[in-house]
Amino acid sequence: MVTHTVSERNQTGIINDDKALAWATASNVLDPEIPCVTVGELGIVRDIELIEDEVTVYVSPTYSGCPAVLAIEMAIETELLKVGFRPNIKRILSPPWTTDWISDVGREKLRKFGITPPVNASSKMGLFGKVNVECPRCSSNNTEKLSEFGSTACKAQYRCKNCLEPFDYFKCI
Amino acid sequence: MSKILTKALLELADDHLILGHRLSEWCGHAPLLEEDLALPNMGLDLIGTARSLYTYACQVEDKNKSEDDFAFLRNEREYVNCLLVERPNFNFAHTILKQLYFSVFMELYWAAALNSDDEMLVGIAGKAKKEMAYHVRHSGEWTVRLGDGTSVSNEKMLQAVNALHLYTNELFINTENSDTYISKNILPDRTSFKANWQKKIKTIFKQAFITYPNNNDELLGGRVGLHGEELGHLLASMQSVHRLHPGAQW
Ligand SMILES: [Zn+2]
């Protein structure tokens, strides 16, 4: 991979908007535990500040104890270094990350990967406040919760009573 | 800087770290696969919150310190967690009840902390409150399932109440000399949560056919560093790698 310093890029006109490049570079890092979606699509990258070639990326961890947080921060740092920035990662807790920040593209990718995306608080509530969680394979609503805690902090375990397959649900927080 | 605020933060952080470590001890030992995932997952939440609190305590007290200094280089007399969280897991019923007592309290605490004038505490509370709601649901559902289960599971829940209830009063005692921090709306007032806590626990106990104890027995000491022998064993295991390889990087 050819790397350029920021000033070189400007001279050669390869990329004329460094901030856009920094955003794209940071956002395109894949989530290490759900590698079908990028951290941008999950809404983890909140903001970017650019002063010359020094870029500060503000990231919002999904869960307090999420072991992926450090891996994500290091990956963002590495990718930014590769394209010639001097990266600085800042973790912000407030406002807390919410599943509402997952983009539509991200939600669709999760579904294709076999993980039902979070059901928005108001839109899909069934009777008596029960949430309808759709099977990512056959789209049936005839599903049941096995456990509120799954293979990672952000997922719950469900079973489809129509196609009989178990699946992960990205729980709503 | 402020010793009192640091002490209040360490009380919170130590509660989360020690209970988080206790939950991690279930890994590979839980009665069901789902619980084998659930308990350590909740432990991760607690340890994550502890890390944020230790990091904040470093900013308040001493910028040269790190979260690891607090977690791995203090002895049991320097730990200020309440006695409830250090109680050994014993059996699943004990663990569930301990989680219920603690998470119902913390959900109330974090909800109040959201209105604090301290921005850092508000940030930590925002994440922790959402996670605590899951923990309350988990331990609440299990309390009912066990209490309203077989005569054996009911008996085990009753034994857990007998063994653990006297440790709960310590949750409602404010950090020593923290009155100004409470009146300045920095720290929530722990004493103010007692009525709501009791109400919620009593509601769950009723569904679970568990009698709420009406005696006033209490055991205190954790906040001044007076712990049971079991905390020493926990720390020995938790801190051994760090102490064996001080400052190791990988
Ligand atoms: Zn299905």
Side-chain angles (χ1 to χ4, degrees), chain A residues 60-67 70 91 93-94 96-99 145-155 157 171-173, chain B residues 33-35 37-39 41-42 44-49 51-52 119-120 122-124 126-128 130-131 134-135 137-138 141:
Chain A
S60 179
T62 50
Y63 280 77
S64 299
C66 181
L70 200 63
R91 207 177 287 182
L93 291 178
S94 189
W97 181 84
T98 150
T99 37
K145 183 172 72 188
L146 296 177
S147 170
E148 214 148 34
F149 298 86
S151 53
T152 64
C154 56
K155 285 178 283 181
Q157 300 175 70
K171 59 197 183 194
C172 202
I173 63 163
Chain B
L33 178 62
E34 284 76 13
E35 288 310 301
L37 293 170
L39 297 172
N41 250 319
M42 291 189 291
L44 264 182
D45 287 343
L46 296 178
I47 293 168
T49 304
R51 292 188 62 180
S52 304
E119 250 178 66
M120 279 298 291
V122 174
I124 296 168
K127 290 211 84 59
K130 288 181 174 189
E131 292 164 5
Y134 272 96
H135 296 203
R137 205 150 63 228
H138 175 265
E141 282 173 4

CSV table of all heavy atoms in Angstrom, one decimal, chain A residues 60-67 70 91 93-94 96-99 145-155 157 171-173, chain B residues 33-35 37-39 41-42 44-49 51-52 119-120 122-124 126-128 130-131 134-135 137-138 141:
chain,number,residue,atom,x,y,z
A,60,SER,N,-17.6,6.2,20.9
A,60,SER,CA,-18.5,5.9,22.0
A,60,SER,C,-18.7,4.4,22.2
A,60,SER,O,-19.1,3.7,21.3
A,60,SER,CB,-19.9,6.5,21.6
A,60,SER,OG,-20.8,6.3,22.5
A,61,PRO,N,-18.2,3.9,23.3
A,61,PRO,CA,-18.2,2.4,23.5
A,61,PRO,C,-19.7,1.9,23.6
A,61,PRO,O,-20.5,2.6,24.1
A,61,PRO,CB,-17.5,2.2,24.8
A,61,PRO,CG,-17.4,3.5,25.5
A,61,PRO,CD,-17.6,4.5,24.4
A,62,THR,N,-19.9,0.7,23.0
A,62,THR,CA,-21.3,0.2,23.1
A,62,THR,C,-21.7,-0.2,24.5
A,62,THR,O,-22.7,0.3,25.0
A,62,THR,CB,-21.4,-1.0,22.1
A,62,THR,OG1,-20.4,-1.9,22.5
A,62,THR,CG2,-21.3,-0.6,20.7
A,63,TYR,N,-20.9,-1.1,25.1
A,63,TYR,CA,-21.2,-1.5,26.5
A,63,TYR,C,-20.0,-1.2,27.3
A,63,TYR,O,-18.9,-1.2,26.8
A,63,TYR,CB,-21.5,-3.0,26.6
A,63,TYR,CG,-22.9,-3.4,26.1
A,63,TYR,CD1,-23.2,-3.4,24.8
A,63,TYR,CD2,-23.8,-3.6,27.1
A,63,TYR,CE1,-24.5,-3.7,24.4
A,63,TYR,CE2,-25.1,-3.9,26.7
A,63,TYR,CZ,-25.5,-3.9,25.4
A,63,TYR,OH,-26.8,-4.2,25.1
A,64,SER,N,-20.2,-0.9,28.6
A,64,SER,CA,-19.1,-0.5,29.5
A,64,SER,C,-17.9,-1.4,29.4
A,64,SER,O,-16.8,-1.0,29.4
A,64,SER,CB,-19.6,-0.4,31.0
A,64,SER,OG,-20.6,0.5,31.1
A,65,GLY,N,-18.2,-2.7,29.5
A,65,GLY,CA,-17.2,-3.7,29.5
A,65,GLY,C,-16.9,-4.4,28.2
A,65,GLY,O,-16.2,-5.4,28.2
A,66,CYS,N,-17.3,-3.8,27.1
A,66,CYS,CA,-17.1,-4.4,25.8
A,66,CYS,C,-15.7,-4.6,25.5
A,66,CYS,O,-14.9,-3.6,25.4
A,66,CYS,CB,-17.8,-3.6,24.7
A,66,CYS,SG,-17.7,-4.4,23.1
A,67,PRO,N,-15.2,-5.8,25.4
A,67,PRO,CA,-13.8,-6.1,25.1
A,67,PRO,C,-13.3,-5.6,23.8
A,67,PRO,O,-12.2,-5.5,23.5
A,67,PRO,CB,-13.6,-7.6,25.3
A,67,PRO,CG,-14.9,-8.1,25.6
A,67,PRO,CD,-16.0,-7.1,25.4
A,70,LEU,N,-11.2,-1.6,22.9
A,70,LEU,CA,-9.8,-1.4,22.8
A,70,LEU,C,-9.3,-1.8,21.4
A,70,LEU,O,-8.5,-1.1,20.7
A,70,LEU,CB,-9.0,-2.1,23.8
A,70,LEU,CG,-7.6,-1.6,24.1
A,70,LEU,CD1,-7.7,-0.1,24.6
A,70,LEU,CD2,-6.9,-2.5,25.1
A,91,ARG,N,-12.3,8.6,24.1
A,91,ARG,CA,-13.5,7.8,24.4
A,91,ARG,C,-14.5,8.8,25.1
A,91,ARG,O,-14.2,9.4,26.0
A,91,ARG,CB,-13.1,6.7,25.3
A,91,ARG,CG,-14.0,5.5,25.3
A,91,ARG,CD,-13.5,4.4,26.2
A,91,ARG,NE,-12.3,3.7,25.7
A,91,ARG,CZ,-11.8,2.7,26.4
A,91,ARG,NH1,-12.3,2.3,27.6
A,91,ARG,NH2,-10.7,2.1,25.9
A,93,LEU,N,-18.4,9.1,26.9
A,93,LEU,CA,-19.4,8.3,27.5
A,93,LEU,C,-20.8,8.9,27.4
A,93,LEU,O,-21.8,8.3,27.5
A,93,LEU,CB,-19.1,8.1,29.0
A,93,LEU,CG,-17.9,7.2,29.3
A,93,LEU,CD1,-17.7,7.1,30.8
A,93,LEU,CD2,-18.1,5.8,28.8
A,94,SER,N,-20.8,10.3,27.2
A,94,SER,CA,-22.0,11.0,27.3
A,94,SER,C,-22.2,11.8,26.0
A,94,SER,O,-21.3,12.5,25.6
A,94,SER,CB,-22.0,11.9,28.5
A,94,SER,OG,-23.2,12.5,28.7
A,96,PRO,N,-24.8,8.5,26.2
A,96,PRO,CA,-24.4,7.0,26.0
A,96,PRO,C,-24.8,6.5,24.6
A,96,PRO,O,-25.9,6.9,24.1
A,96,PRO,CB,-25.2,6.4,27.1
A,96,PRO,CG,-26.3,7.3,27.5
A,96,PRO,CD,-25.8,8.7,27.2
A,97,TRP,N,-24.0,5.6,24.1
A,97,TRP,CA,-24.3,4.9,22.8
A,97,TRP,C,-25.7,4.2,22.9
A,97,TRP,O,-26.0,3.7,23.9
A,97,TRP,CB,-23.2,3.9,22.5
A,97,TRP,CG,-23.4,3.2,21.2
A,97,TRP,CD1,-23.1,3.7,20.0
A,97,TRP,CD2,-24.1,1.9,21.0
A,97,TRP,NE1,-23.4,2.8,19.0
A,97,TRP,CE2,-24.0,1.7,19.6
A,97,TRP,CE3,-24.6,1.0,21.8
A,97,TRP,CZ2,-24.5,0.5,19.0
A,97,TRP,CZ3,-25.1,-0.2,21.3
A,97,TRP,CH2,-25.1,-0.4,19.9
A,98,THR,N,-26.4,4.3,21.8
A,98,THR,CA,-27.7,3.6,21.8
A,98,THR,C,-27.8,2.9,20.4
A,98,THR,O,-27.2,3.3,19.4
A,98,THR,CB,-28.9,4.6,22.0
A,98,THR,OG1,-30.0,4.1,21.3
A,98,THR,CG2,-28.6,6.0,21.4
A,99,THR,N,-28.6,1.8,20.4
A,99,THR,CA,-28.8,1.1,19.2
A,99,THR,C,-29.5,1.9,18.1
A,99,THR,O,-29.4,1.6,17.0
A,99,THR,CB,-29.5,-0.2,19.5
A,99,THR,OG1,-30.5,0.0,20.5
A,99,THR,CG2,-28.6,-1.3,20.0
A,145,LYS,N,-37.5,-16.0,23.1
A,145,LYS,CA,-36.3,-15.7,23.7
A,145,LYS,C,-35.7,-16.9,24.5
A,145,LYS,O,-36.4,-17.5,25.3
A,145,LYS,CB,-36.5,-14.5,24.7
A,145,LYS,CG,-35.2,-14.0,25.3
A,145,LYS,CD,-35.4,-12.7,26.0
A,145,LYS,CE,-36.2,-12.9,27.3
A,145,LYS,NZ,-36.6,-11.7,27.9
A,146,LEU,N,-34.5,-17.2,24.3
A,146,LEU,CA,-33.8,-18.3,25.1
A,146,LEU,C,-33.1,-17.6,26.3
A,146,LEU,O,-33.1,-18.2,27.4
A,146,LEU,CB,-32.8,-19.1,24.2
A,146,LEU,CG,-33.5,-19.8,23.1
A,146,LEU,CD1,-32.3,-20.5,22.3
A,146,LEU,CD2,-34.4,-20.9,23.6
A,147,SER,N,-32.4,-16.6,26.0
A,147,SER,CA,-31.6,-15.9,27.1
A,147,SER,C,-31.3,-14.5,26.7
A,147,SER,O,-31.1,-14.2,25.5
A,147,SER,CB,-30.3,-16.6,27.3
A,147,SER,OG,-29.5,-15.8,28.2
A,148,GLU,N,-31.4,-13.6,27.7
A,148,GLU,CA,-31.1,-12.2,27.4
A,148,GLU,C,-29.7,-11.9,27.2
A,148,GLU,O,-29.3,-10.8,26.8
A,148,GLU,CB,-31.7,-11.3,28.5
A,148,GLU,CG,-32.2,-10.0,28.1
A,148,GLU,CD,-33.4,-9.6,28.9
A,148,GLU,OE1,-33.4,-9.8,30.2
A,148,GLU,OE2,-34.3,-8.9,28.4
A,149,PHE,N,-28.8,-12.9,27.4
A,149,PHE,CA,-27.4,-12.7,27.3
A,149,PHE,C,-26.8,-13.7,26.3
A,149,PHE,O,-27.1,-14.9,26.4
A,149,PHE,CB,-26.7,-12.8,28.6
A,149,PHE,CG,-27.2,-11.8,29.6
A,149,PHE,CD1,-28.3,-12.0,30.4
A,149,PHE,CD2,-26.5,-10.6,29.7
A,149,PHE,CE1,-28.7,-11.0,31.3
A,149,PHE,CE2,-26.9,-9.6,30.6
A,149,PHE,CZ,-28.0,-9.8,31.4
A,150,GLY,N,-26.1,-13.3,25.3
A,150,GLY,CA,-25.6,-14.2,24.3
A,150,GLY,C,-24.1,-14.2,24.2
A,150,GLY,O,-23.4,-14.0,25.2
A,151,SER,N,-23.6,-14.5,23.0
A,151,SER,CA,-22.1,-14.7,22.8
A,151,SER,C,-21.3,-13.4,23.1
A,151,SER,O,-20.1,-13.5,23.3
A,151,SER,CB,-21.9,-15.2,21.5
A,151,SER,OG,-22.5,-14.4,20.5
A,152,THR,N,-21.9,-12.2,22.9
A,152,THR,CA,-21.3,-11.0,23.2
A,152,THR,C,-22.3,-10.1,24.0
A,152,THR,O,-23.5,-10.4,24.0
A,152,THR,CB,-20.8,-10.2,22.0
A,152,THR,OG1,-22.0,-9.8,21.3
A,152,THR,CG2,-20.0,-11.0,21.0
A,153,ALA,N,-21.7,-9.1,24.6
A,153,ALA,CA,-22.6,-8.3,25.5
A,153,ALA,C,-23.8,-7.7,24.8
A,153,ALA,O,-24.8,-7.5,25.4
A,153,ALA,CB,-21.7,-7.1,26.1
A,154,CYS,N,-23.7,-7.4,23.5
A,154,CYS,CA,-24.7,-6.7,22.8
A,154,CYS,C,-25.8,-7.7,22.3
A,154,CYS,O,-26.8,-7.2,21.7
A,154,CYS,CB,-24.2,-5.9,21.7
A,154,CYS,SG,-23.2,-6.8,20.5
A,155,LYS,N,-25.7,-9.0,22.4
A,155,LYS,CA,-26.6,-9.9,21.8
A,155,LYS,C,-27.4,-10.8,22.8
A,155,LYS,O,-26.9,-11.1,23.8
A,155,LYS,CB,-25.9,-10.8,20.8
A,155,LYS,CG,-25.5,-10.0,19.5
A,155,LYS,CD,-24.8,-10.9,18.5
A,155,LYS,CE,-23.4,-11.0,18.9
A,155,LYS,NZ,-22.5,-11.8,18.0
A,157,GLN,N,-30.0,-14.4,22.9
A,157,GLN,CA,-30.3,-15.6,22.1
A,157,GLN,C,-31.8,-15.9,21.9
A,157,GLN,O,-32.5,-15.8,22.9
A,157,GLN,CB,-29.7,-16.8,22.8
A,157,GLN,CG,-28.2,-16.7,23.1
A,157,GLN,CD,-27.7,-17.9,23.9
A,157,GLN,OE1,-27.7,-19.1,23.5
A,157,GLN,NE2,-27.4,-17.6,25.2
A,171,LYS,N,-29.6,-6.7,20.9
A,171,LYS,CA,-30.6,-6.1,21.8
A,171,LYS,C,-30.6,-4.6,21.8
A,171,LYS,O,-29.6,-4.0,21.6
A,171,LYS,CB,-30.6,-6.8,23.2
A,171,LYS,CG,-29.3,-6.6,23.9
A,171,LYS,CD,-29.3,-7.6,25.1
A,171,LYS,CE,-28.0,-7.4,25.9
A,171,LYS,NZ,-27.8,-8.6,26.8
A,172,CYS,N,-31.7,-4.1,22.1
A,172,CYS,CA,-32.0,-2.7,22.1
A,172,CYS,C,-31.5,-2.0,23.4
A,172,CYS,O,-32.0,-2.4,24.4
A,172,CYS,CB,-33.5,-2.5,21.9
A,172,CYS,SG,-33.9,-1.0,21.2
A,173,ILE,N,-30.6,-1.0,23.3
A,173,ILE,CA,-30.3,-0.3,24.5
A,173,ILE,C,-30.3,1.2,24.1
A,173,ILE,O,-30.1,1.6,23.0
A,173,ILE,CB,-29.0,-0.6,25.2
A,173,ILE,CG1,-27.8,-0.4,24.4
A,173,ILE,CG2,-29.0,-2.0,25.8
A,173,ILE,CD1,-26.5,-0.3,25.2
B,33,LEU,N,-26.1,-23.5,30.2
B,33,LEU,CA,-25.2,-22.9,29.2
B,33,LEU,C,-25.6,-21.4,29.1
B,33,LEU,O,-24.7,-20.5,29.1
B,33,LEU,CB,-25.3,-23.5,27.8
B,33,LEU,CG,-24.5,-22.8,26.7
B,33,LEU,CD1,-23.0,-22.9,27.1
B,33,LEU,CD2,-24.8,-23.5,25.4
B,34,GLU,N,-26.9,-21.1,29.1
B,34,GLU,CA,-27.3,-19.7,29.0
B,34,GLU,C,-26.8,-18.9,30.2
B,34,GLU,O,-26.4,-17.7,30.0
B,34,GLU,CB,-28.8,-19.6,29.0
B,34,GLU,CG,-29.5,-20.0,27.6
B,34,GLU,CD,-29.5,-21.5,27.4
B,34,GLU,OE1,-29.3,-22.2,28.4
B,34,GLU,OE2,-29.8,-21.9,26.3
B,35,GLU,N,-26.8,-19.5,31.4
B,35,GLU,CA,-26.3,-18.8,32.5
B,35,GLU,C,-24.8,-18.6,32.5
B,35,GLU,O,-24.2,-17.7,33.1
B,35,GLU,CB,-26.8,-19.4,33.8
B,35,GLU,CG,-28.3,-19.2,34.1
B,35,GLU,CD,-28.7,-17.8,34.0
B,35,GLU,OE1,-28.2,-16.9,34.7
B,35,GLU,OE2,-29.5,-17.4,33.1
B,37,LEU,N,-23.2,-18.0,30.0
B,37,LEU,CA,-22.9,-16.8,29.2
B,37,LEU,C,-23.4,-15.5,30.0
B,37,LEU,O,-22.7,-14.5,30.0
B,37,LEU,CB,-23.6,-16.8,27.9
B,37,LEU,CG,-23.1,-17.9,26.9
B,37,LEU,CD1,-24.1,-18.0,25.7
B,37,LEU,CD2,-21.7,-17.6,26.4
B,38,ALA,N,-24.5,-15.6,30.6
B,38,ALA,CA,-25.2,-14.4,31.2
B,38,ALA,C,-24.3,-13.9,32.4
B,38,ALA,O,-24.1,-12.7,32.5
B,38,ALA,CB,-26.6,-14.8,31.7
B,39,LEU,N,-23.9,-14.8,33.3
B,39,LEU,CA,-23.2,-14.3,34.5
B,39,LEU,C,-21.9,-13.6,34.2
B,39,LEU,O,-21.7,-12.5,34.6
B,39,LEU,CB,-23.1,-15.4,35.5
B,39,LEU,CG,-24.4,-16.0,36.1
B,39,LEU,CD1,-24.1,-17.3,36.9
B,39,LEU,CD2,-25.2,-15.0,36.9
B,41,ASN,N,-21.1,-12.2,31.4
B,41,ASN,CA,-21.5,-11.0,30.6
B,41,ASN,C,-21.8,-9.9,31.6
B,41,ASN,O,-21.4,-8.7,31.4
B,41,ASN,CB,-22.7,-11.3,29.8
B,41,ASN,CG,-22.4,-11.4,28.3
B,41,ASN,OD1,-21.6,-10.5,27.8
B,41,ASN,ND2,-22.9,-12.3,27.6
B,42,MET,N,-22.6,-10.2,32.6
B,42,MET,CA,-22.9,-9.2,33.6
B,42,MET,C,-21.7,-8.7,34.3
B,42,MET,O,-21.5,-7.6,34.7
B,42,MET,CB,-24.0,-9.7,34.5
B,42,MET,CG,-25.4,-9.8,33.8
B,42,MET,SD,-26.7,-10.2,34.9
B,42,MET,CE,-26.3,-11.8,35.4
B,44,LEU,N,-18.8,-8.6,33.1
B,44,LEU,CA,-18.1,-7.6,32.2
B,44,LEU,C,-18.7,-6.2,32.3
B,44,LEU,O,-17.9,-5.2,32.3
B,44,LEU,CB,-18.2,-8.1,30.7
B,44,LEU,CG,-17.1,-8.9,30.1
B,44,LEU,CD1,-17.5,-9.2,28.7
B,44,LEU,CD2,-15.8,-8.2,30.2
B,45,ASP,N,-20.0,-6.1,32.3
B,45,ASP,CA,-20.6,-4.8,32.5
B,45,ASP,C,-20.1,-4.1,33.8
B,45,ASP,O,-19.8,-3.0,33.8
B,45,ASP,CB,-22.2,-5.0,32.7
B,45,ASP,CG,-22.9,-5.3,31.4
B,45,ASP,OD1,-22.2,-5.1,30.3
B,45,ASP,OD2,-24.0,-5.7,31.4
B,46,LEU,N,-20.1,-4.9,34.9
B,46,LEU,CA,-19.7,-4.3,36.1
B,46,LEU,C,-18.2,-3.9,36.1
B,46,LEU,O,-17.9,-2.8,36.6
B,46,LEU,CB,-19.9,-5.3,37.3
B,46,LEU,CG,-21.4,-5.7,37.5
B,46,LEU,CD1,-21.5,-6.7,38.7
B,46,LEU,CD2,-22.2,-4.5,37.9
B,47,ILE,N,-17.4,-4.7,35.6
B,47,ILE,CA,-15.9,-4.4,35.5
B,47,ILE,C,-15.7,-3.2,34.6
B,47,ILE,O,-14.9,-2.3,34.9
B,47,ILE,CB,-15.1,-5.7,35.1
B,47,ILE,CG1,-15.2,-6.7,36.2
B,47,ILE,CG2,-13.6,-5.3,34.8
B,47,ILE,CD1,-14.7,-8.1,35.8
B,48,GLY,N,-16.5,-3.1,33.5
B,48,GLY,CA,-16.4,-2.0,32.6
B,48,GLY,C,-16.7,-0.7,33.4
B,48,GLY,O,-16.1,0.3,33.3
B,49,THR,N,-17.8,-0.7,34.2
B,49,THR,CA,-18.2,0.5,34.9
B,49,THR,C,-17.1,0.8,36.0
B,49,THR,O,-16.8,1.9,36.2
B,49,THR,CB,-19.6,0.2,35.6
B,49,THR,OG1,-20.5,-0.1,34.6
B,49,THR,CG2,-20.0,1.4,36.4
B,51,ARG,N,-14.0,0.3,35.7
B,51,ARG,CA,-12.9,0.9,35.0
B,51,ARG,C,-13.1,2.4,34.8
B,51,ARG,O,-12.2,3.2,35.1
B,51,ARG,CB,-12.6,0.2,33.7
B,51,ARG,CG,-12.1,-1.2,33.8
B,51,ARG,CD,-11.7,-1.7,32.4
B,51,ARG,NE,-10.6,-0.9,31.8
B,51,ARG,CZ,-10.1,-1.1,30.6
B,51,ARG,NH1,-10.5,-2.1,29.9
B,51,ARG,NH2,-9.1,-0.4,30.2
B,52,SER,N,-14.3,2.8,34.4
B,52,SER,CA,-14.7,4.2,34.2
B,52,SER,C,-14.5,4.9,35.5
B,52,SER,O,-14.0,6.1,35.5
B,52,SER,CB,-16.1,4.4,33.6
B,52,SER,OG,-16.2,3.6,32.4
B,119,GLU,N,-20.5,16.2,35.5
B,119,GLU,CA,-20.6,15.7,34.2
B,119,GLU,C,-20.1,14.3,34.0
B,119,GLU,O,-20.7,13.5,33.3
B,119,GLU,CB,-19.8,16.6,33.2
B,119,GLU,CG,-20.7,17.4,32.3
B,119,GLU,CD,-19.8,18.3,31.4
B,119,GLU,OE1,-19.1,17.8,30.6
B,119,GLU,OE2,-19.9,19.5,31.6
B,120,MET,N,-18.9,14.0,34.6
B,120,MET,CA,-18.3,12.7,34.5
B,120,MET,C,-19.3,11.6,35.1
B,120,MET,O,-19.5,10.5,34.5
B,120,MET,CB,-17.0,12.6,35.2
B,120,MET,CG,-15.8,13.2,34.4
B,120,MET,SD,-15.5,12.3,32.9
B,120,MET,CE,-14.9,10.8,33.5
B,122,VAL,N,-22.5,11.8,35.4
B,122,VAL,CA,-23.6,11.7,34.5
B,122,VAL,C,-23.3,10.7,33.3
B,122,VAL,O,-24.1,9.9,33.0
B,122,VAL,CB,-24.1,13.1,34.0
B,122,VAL,CG1,-25.2,12.9,33.0
B,122,VAL,CG2,-24.5,13.9,35.2
B,123,GLY,N,-22.1,10.9,32.8
B,123,GLY,CA,-21.7,10.1,31.6
B,123,GLY,C,-21.6,8.6,32.0
B,123,GLY,O,-22.1,7.7,31.3
B,124,ILE,N,-21.0,8.3,33.2
B,124,ILE,CA,-20.9,6.9,33.6
B,124,ILE,C,-22.3,6.4,33.9
B,124,ILE,O,-22.6,5.2,33.6
B,124,ILE,CB,-20.0,6.8,34.9
B,124,ILE,CG1,-18.6,7.2,34.5
B,124,ILE,CG2,-20.0,5.4,35.4
B,124,ILE,CD1,-17.6,7.5,35.7
B,126,GLY,N,-25.2,7.2,32.6
B,126,GLY,CA,-26.0,7.0,31.4
B,126,GLY,C,-25.8,5.6,30.9
B,126,GLY,O,-26.8,4.9,30.5
B,127,LYS,N,-24.6,5.1,30.8
B,127,LYS,CA,-24.4,3.7,30.3
B,127,LYS,C,-24.8,2.7,31.3
B,127,LYS,O,-25.5,1.7,31.0
B,127,LYS,CB,-22.9,3.5,30.0
B,127,LYS,CG,-22.3,4.3,28.9
B,127,LYS,CD,-21.2,3.5,28.2
B,127,LYS,CE,-21.7,2.5,27.2
B,127,LYS,NZ,-22.5,3.0,26.1
B,128,ALA,N,-24.4,2.9,32.6
B,128,ALA,CA,-24.6,1.9,33.6
B,128,ALA,C,-26.0,1.7,33.9
B,128,ALA,O,-26.4,0.5,34.2
B,128,ALA,CB,-23.8,2.3,34.9
B,130,LYS,N,-28.6,1.8,31.9
B,130,LYS,CA,-29.2,0.9,30.9
B,130,LYS,C,-28.8,-0.6,31.1
B,130,LYS,O,-29.6,-1.5,31.0
B,130,LYS,CB,-28.7,1.3,29.5
B,130,LYS,CG,-29.2,2.6,29.0
B,130,LYS,CD,-28.6,2.8,27.6
B,130,LYS,CE,-29.3,4.0,26.9
B,130,LYS,NZ,-28.8,4.1,25.5
B,131,GLU,N,-27.6,-0.8,31.5
B,131,GLU,CA,-27.1,-2.1,31.7
B,131,GLU,C,-27.7,-2.7,33.0
B,131,GLU,O,-28.1,-3.9,33.1
B,131,GLU,CB,-25.6,-2.1,31.8
B,131,GLU,CG,-24.9,-1.8,30.5
B,131,GLU,CD,-23.5,-1.4,30.6
B,131,GLU,OE1,-22.9,-1.5,31.7
B,131,GLU,OE2,-22.9,-1.0,29.5
B,134,TYR,N,-31.1,-4.5,32.7
B,134,TYR,CA,-31.0,-5.9,32.3
B,134,TYR,C,-30.7,-6.8,33.5
B,134,TYR,O,-31.2,-7.9,33.7
B,134,TYR,CB,-29.9,-6.1,31.3
B,134,TYR,CG,-30.4,-5.9,29.9
B,134,TYR,CD1,-30.2,-4.7,29.2
B,134,TYR,CD2,-31.0,-6.9,29.2
B,134,TYR,CE1,-30.6,-4.5,27.9
B,134,TYR,CE2,-31.4,-6.8,27.9
B,134,TYR,CZ,-31.2,-5.5,27.2
B,134,TYR,OH,-31.7,-5.3,26.0
B,135,HIS,N,-29.8,-6.3,34.4
B,135,HIS,CA,-29.4,-7.1,35.5
B,135,HIS,C,-30.6,-7.3,36.5
B,135,HIS,O,-30.7,-8.4,37.1
B,135,HIS,CB,-28.2,-6.5,36.3
B,135,HIS,CG,-27.0,-6.4,35.4
B,135,HIS,ND1,-25.7,-6.3,36.0
B,135,HIS,CD2,-26.8,-6.4,34.1
B,135,HIS,CE1,-24.8,-6.2,35.0
B,135,HIS,NE2,-25.4,-6.3,33.9
B,137,ARG,N,-33.7,-7.3,35.7
B,137,ARG,CA,-34.7,-8.2,35.1
B,137,ARG,C,-34.2,-9.6,35.3
B,137,ARG,O,-34.9,-10.5,35.6
B,137,ARG,CB,-34.9,-7.8,33.6
B,137,ARG,CG,-36.2,-8.3,33.1
B,137,ARG,CD,-36.7,-7.4,32.0
B,137,ARG,NE,-35.9,-7.4,30.9
B,137,ARG,CZ,-35.5,-6.3,30.3
B,137,ARG,NH1,-35.8,-5.1,30.7
B,137,ARG,NH2,-34.7,-6.4,29.2
B,138,HIS,N,-32.9,-9.8,35.0
B,138,HIS,CA,-32.3,-11.2,35.1
B,138,HIS,C,-32.5,-11.8,36.5
B,138,HIS,O,-33.0,-12.9,36.7
B,138,HIS,CB,-30.9,-11.1,34.7
B,138,HIS,CG,-30.1,-12.4,34.8
B,138,HIS,ND1,-29.4,-12.7,35.9
B,138,HIS,CD2,-30.0,-13.5,34.0
B,138,HIS,CE1,-28.9,-14.0,35.8
B,138,HIS,NE2,-29.3,-14.5,34.6
B,141,GLU,N,-36.3,-12.2,37.6
B,141,GLU,CA,-36.9,-13.3,37.0
B,141,GLU,C,-36.5,-14.6,37.7
B,141,GLU,O,-37.3,-15.5,37.9
B,141,GLU,CB,-36.7,-13.4,35.5
B,141,GLU,CG,-37.6,-12.4,34.7
B,141,GLU,CD,-37.2,-12.3,33.2
B,141,GLU,OE1,-36.3,-13.1,32.8
B,141,GLU,OE2,-37.8,-11.4,32.6
